[in-house]
Amino acid sequence: MASSGSSEERPSRQINVILRSSEPPLLSQAVPDSDPLGSAKGVQQQGQFAELQKEMDGLIGLDHIKELMFEIFALLQIATMRSEAGLLTGAQVYHMVFKGNPGTGKTTVARIVAKMFQRMGVLNKGHLIEVERADLVGEYIGHTAQKTRDLIKKALGGVLFIDEAYSLARGGEKDFGKEAIDTLVKAMEDQKNQFILILAGYSDEMDFFLSTNPGLPSRFPIQMDFPDYTIDQLIQIAEGMVRARDYTMMPQAILKLKQHLLREKCESEQIFSNARYVRNIIERAVRHQAVRLLNQYGGGSPGKLELMTLRTEDLKLDNK
């Protein structure tokens, strides 16, 4: 997942309070007007989220994901305030499902989620354990459950992120993947609030996966859809990747890349891998530029500008 230097400012939020009675509510007599310690803690938490928001704003697109992240932060902060005020705070479940094609930012957002929950005190470590079917499923009865329990143990205090999670249900009732699912479901009950489980994968496959077990959808109340990037967003991602490596692309090279992405996205029979596809192109272009410069300048240095510049001939886009 790529980041860009450009960022959009979050629109300011305004809450209008309308008092329908001229008499102050009785509650105001029991609750102090200010709580210096609580206010200080709230400012600190907002400062912590500001750092995460800056990281999120560095991501291209994903506007609805950013909004949902702020909603979760607001819920956590208000829950803390309610607890300090002696009010009931209902237990929340934060297990999630991320749905979308490859290269749409699911793993990147999962890392930010882990950081946020750690800073808000929900998780005591905030690390991310990223696994797939092969890491969970064993070769014989009982092996899968043990492998899955071991990974859950490693994820305690953090986030267990299972990519292509739908593959656990592909083999039917006799497949060992079902054993992994059963073990995960049991851990979500037995070790509630000790880790957060995020399942990720293609949208249609994840919908089917959740339908295979009636109890699964209710265990994942937060579901995020990661749409494919537009062509303009992919170009922004490419430019961000290039800048991060201390390179620059000639305008003609950008145009060539844009035309290729449009053709590839519309005509390819394979699932388009979005930012991952762009990253592979940029890394390949950097290699081709290195070969071109060595052949062109021999043992001499091309100079700083040439060392930084990716030209149209460096984008060999027919070589997949």
Side-chain angles (χ1 to χ4, degrees):
M1 179 65 189
S3 62
S4 169
S6 62
S7 63
E8 296 180 3
E9 294 294 332
R10 177 177 298 282
S12 60
R13 290 172 168 78
Q14 178 175 333
I15 300 176
N16 296 320
V17 180
I18 302 175
L19 299 179
R20 301 191 182 278
S21 172
S22 59
E23 296 181 3
L26 293 177
L27 184 60
S28 64
Q29 300 174 7
V31 179
D33 293 335
S34 62
D35 180 359
L37 294 178
S39 299
K41 186 172 182 180
V43 170
Q44 180 185 12
Q45 289 177 335
Q46 290 190 33
Q48 291 172 342
F49 184 78
E51 297 175 11
L52 295 174
Q53 182 177 333
K54 184 177 180 181
E55 191 172 349
M56 287 291 296
D57 287 343
L59 304 179
I60 301 299
L62 303 179
D63 291 341
H64 69 291
I65 302 293
K66 296 171 185 177
E67 289 293 329
L68 182 54
M69 290 284 289
F70 186 81
E71 289 177 11
I72 296 172
F73 162 77
L75 179 65
L76 291 169
Q77 187 165 351
I78 293 301
T80 299
M81 295 178 183
R82 286 178 59 86
S83 178
E84 292 172 349
L87 298 172
L88 292 176
T89 54
Q92 295 288 330
V93 177
Y94 297 108
H95 303 301
M96 306 178 185
V97 172
F98 289 0
K99 298 185 286 187
N101 286 331
T104 50
K106 297 186 293 296
T107 305
T108 301
V109 172
R111 292 193 183 101
I112 297 175
V113 166
K115 290 180 187 177
M116 181 176 73
F117 282 115
Q118 189 272 330
R119 294 181 184 185
M120 295 299 296
V122 177
L123 300 172
N124 57 18
K125 294 181 181 178
H127 61 300
L128 181 80
I129 302 294
E130 184 178 355
V131 300
E132 55 187 18
R133 176 188 165 94
D135 301 304
L136 296 165
V137 177
E139 300 176 356
Y140 50 84
I141 295 175
H143 188 206
T144 295
Q146 187 57 50
K147 289 182 70 173
T148 303
R149 282 194 294 266
D150 289 343
L151 287 170
I152 292 170
K153 186 176 180 180
K154 290 181 180 179
L156 292 180
V159 171
L160 179 60
F161 181 85
I162 305 179
D163 199 13
E164 299 184 358
Y166 53 83
S167 62
L168 294 173
R170 277 184 170 171
E173 289 293 322
K174 296 183 179 180
D175 184 72
F176 290 145
K178 184 178 183 300
E179 188 177 352
I181 296 172
D182 294 340
T183 305
L184 289 167
V185 170
K186 187 174 188 301
M188 292 165 72
E189 290 296 328
D190 295 347
Q191 293 158 306
K192 190 177 299 183
N193 302 326
Q194 295 184 48
F195 76 105
I196 290 174
L197 178 61
I198 299 179
L199 306 182
Y202 300 119
S203 298
D204 292 342
E205 282 84 347
M206 289 306 299
D207 287 338
F208 173 77
F209 169 71
L210 293 174
S211 70
T212 60
N213 187 322
L216 279 178
S218 62
R219 298 180 188 276
F220 296 92
I222 302 173
Q223 299 194 20
M224 299 187 186
D225 291 305
F226 289 73
D228 285 346
Y229 291 106
T230 66
I231 298 299
D232 287 341
Q233 287 174 337
L234 289 170
I235 292 298
Q236 291 181 57
I237 289 171
E239 291 175 327
M241 290 178 175
V242 167
R243 281 196 302 272
R245 292 166 170 79
D246 260 349
Y247 286 89
T248 183
M249 277 197 296
M250 295 289 288
Q252 299 91 330
I254 295 175
L255 179 60
K256 181 178 180 179
L257 175 60
K258 187 172 185 178
Q259 292 172 340
H260 172 77
L261 291 173
L262 182 61
R263 187 167 57 251
E264 184 69 20
K265 191 172 181 181
C266 295
E267 299 176 4
S268 177
E269 296 180 358
Q270 299 180 342
I271 294 177
F272 186 64
S273 57
N274 290 277
R276 190 178 303 172
Y277 185 85
V278 171
R279 183 189 64 212
N280 291 338
I281 288 178
I282 298 302
E283 291 178 350
R284 191 162 59 242
V286 168
R287 295 196 302 269
H288 292 156
Q289 186 238 35
V291 172
R292 175 176 61 81
L293 292 179
L294 278 184
N295 290 334
Q296 185 175 349
Y297 291 90
S301 175
K304 183 176 180 179
L305 184 60
E306 275 297 309
L307 289 170
M308 294 177 62
T309 303
L310 297 177
R311 302 182 179 276
T312 54
E313 55 264 40
D314 300 323
L315 296 177
K316 300 183 185 298
L317 300 172
D318 293 333
N319 299 328
K320 301 295 180 68

